[in-house]
Amino acid sequence: MIDTHCHILPGIDDGPDTLEISVEMARVAAKDGVHVIIATPHANLDEGVVTPELIRERVAILNDAIRAAGIGITVLPGAEISSVDNL
């Protein structure tokens, strides 16, 4: 199964505060049958707060930690981008 919308990256918007919590989220997802997670932090690219480079960096760090923990999940980079102004 593929989770196509997950705020799993540590330290970014709605994601967990720590890498350890992110790894635990991956562990729970794996137990539920998930094999791939697409990380989707909120990204307003016009403001440059969450950049593609930051997302890729956090995904790489998280994947290394997941592999080290022996969890069978791969996290892929993605983003949730609002197509309208917040009301």
Side-chain angles (χ1 to χ4, degrees):
M1 185 177 334
I2 299 171
D3 182 342
T4 63
H5 184 102
C6 187
H7 295 272
I8 193 170
L9 297 180
I12 299 179
D13 77 347
D14 292 340
D17 291 333
T18 67
L19 179 61
E20 292 77 17
I21 296 171
S22 294
V23 171
E24 185 57 29
M25 288 173 67
R27 187 181 321 280
V28 169
K31 287 181 183 176
D32 287 341
V34 175
H35 294 95
V36 174
I37 294 175
I38 301 174
T40 54
H42 296 115
N44 183 339
L45 300 179
D46 291 337
E47 293 178 11
V49 175
V50 178
T51 64
E53 293 79 19
L54 176 63
I55 293 168
R56 284 191 291 269
E57 174 186 302
R58 297 287 170 92
V59 165
I61 291 167
L62 180 54
N63 276 322
D64 287 346
I66 288 169
R67 278 191 293 279
I71 301 168
I73 278 190
T74 299
V75 178
L76 300 175
E80 179 179 348
I81 301 172
S82 177
S83 60
V84 297
D85 290 335
N86 291 331
L87 302 176

